[in-house]
Amino acid sequence: RLLVGSSRRFLFSADGMFLYANGYGIHVLARDAGTGALTTVEVDDGYSPSMALSPDGSNLYSGSAGLAAGLATSARDVGTGRLTIVQATTVPAAGLVTVSPDGGNIYVAGAYIAGGSGNSGLAASYARDAATGQATFLESYVDGYVGVHDLYPTGTITVSPDGAHVYMGGPKMGIYSRAAGSGRLSLLDAVDHPFSAQPSDVAISADGAYLYTLQSSALTVLARNAGTGALTTVESEQDGIGGVDGLAGA
């Protein structure tokens, strides 16, 4: 049985035959292409607030937070949709997980306890082995070090379709350049969010020209400069203002 209320994200396989829902366990469901009906294939135990599929569909990556924070790599059977864990990596914070469009890197972000003094923000990059799907740690980015700031709490992490930039939505929108080949990140800028609220979700158009953010019952459209990664606000709509309705709780 799929507990929709506990699920935080839904992912379809590229062929549309399987749906993955996470939260209290990862639910694998087969989809009937004719009727759209869903049938449970399996449920993996454990709490996983975030997950991402590799572009080739061969792996699913799931992150966990808190005392048992880590990144799990699962091999995916493209015929049955079933998952088999092939690697488990300890990460100080992995509440968010995403994979680069070229499949070369995995990025995680979240919060961790900094020396017992309270929560801080952390992001990390991994190289991905295309043959095995396994992740190899590259580097981490921690609030207050080497110019990194405003990572905590990070609510979103998104890679542009061209793979040139990574956007992390914390107290500010962090804009990072992504090195071709290695996938390492360098902070370019951190810009304020409209309405002074961090986003709960971010999406980028397929052509990479626009970025859309949901935050505090508002929707913001930003134009993206493909060369620099810079963002410029095009419009912002907020629930209850100017006749806008239906964004409450976004």
Side-chain angles (χ1 to χ4, degrees):
R1 186 166 65 96
L2 176 61
L3 301 178
V4 175
S6 69
S7 298
R8 300 183 56 161
R9 191 172 187 190
F10 298 90
L11 295 176
F12 272 107
S13 57
D15 59 8
M17 297 305 295
F18 298 96
L19 174 68
Y20 298 85
N22 71 330
Y24 292 101
I26 295 178
H27 299 248
V28 182
L29 302 105
R31 172 181 168 268
D32 186 297
T35 66
L38 300 173
T39 304
T40 298
V41 175
E42 64 178 357
V43 179
D44 292 338
D45 293 332
Y47 178 64
S48 176
S50 183
M51 62 181 177
L53 284 167
S54 59
D56 60 9
S58 61
N59 297 103
L60 184 142
Y61 298 90
S62 55
S64 58
L67 297 177
L71 172 68
T73 301
S74 296
R76 176 178 170 269
D77 187 306
V78 296
T80 66
R82 291 181 178 273
L83 302 174
T84 301
I85 293 180
V86 295
Q87 182 188 33
T89 303
T90 300
V91 183
L96 300 167
V97 179
T98 192
V99 182
S100 59
D102 60 7
N105 296 97
I106 305 151
Y107 299 98
V108 303
Y112 80 112
I113 303 300
S117 60
N119 286 336
S120 184
L122 178 143
S125 60
Y126 292 79
R128 175 178 176 268
D129 187 303
T132 66
Q134 295 201 5
T136 301
F137 176 78
L138 290 177
E139 60 185 353
S140 60
Y141 320 91
V142 184
D143 265 341
Y145 293 88
V146 198
V148 177
H149 54 86
D150 294 311
L151 276 178
Y152 176 75
T154 301
T156 63
I157 180 169
T158 308
V159 186
S160 59
D162 59 8
H165 300 98
V166 175
Y167 298 88
M168 297 188 199
K172 294 187 177 184
M173 178 64 76
I175 304 172
Y176 294 78
S177 63
R178 177 174 175 262
S182 71
R184 293 177 184 270
L185 305 181
S186 298
L187 179 67
L188 297 175
D189 199 3
V191 298
D192 291 326
H193 300 295
F195 312 111
S196 299
Q198 74 180 68
S200 59
D201 201 2
V202 171
I204 300 182
S205 57
D207 60 5
Y210 295 96
L211 186 143
Y212 302 85
T213 71
L214 278 175
Q215 80 265 36
S216 188
S217 300
L219 171 66
T220 300
V221 182
L222 303 106
R224 172 179 171 265
N225 184 306
T228 67
L231 301 173
T232 304
T233 300
V234 175
E235 67 172 324
S236 293
E237 304 291 349
Q238 190 169 23
D239 193 77
I241 297 177
V244 175
D245 191 17
L247 287 176

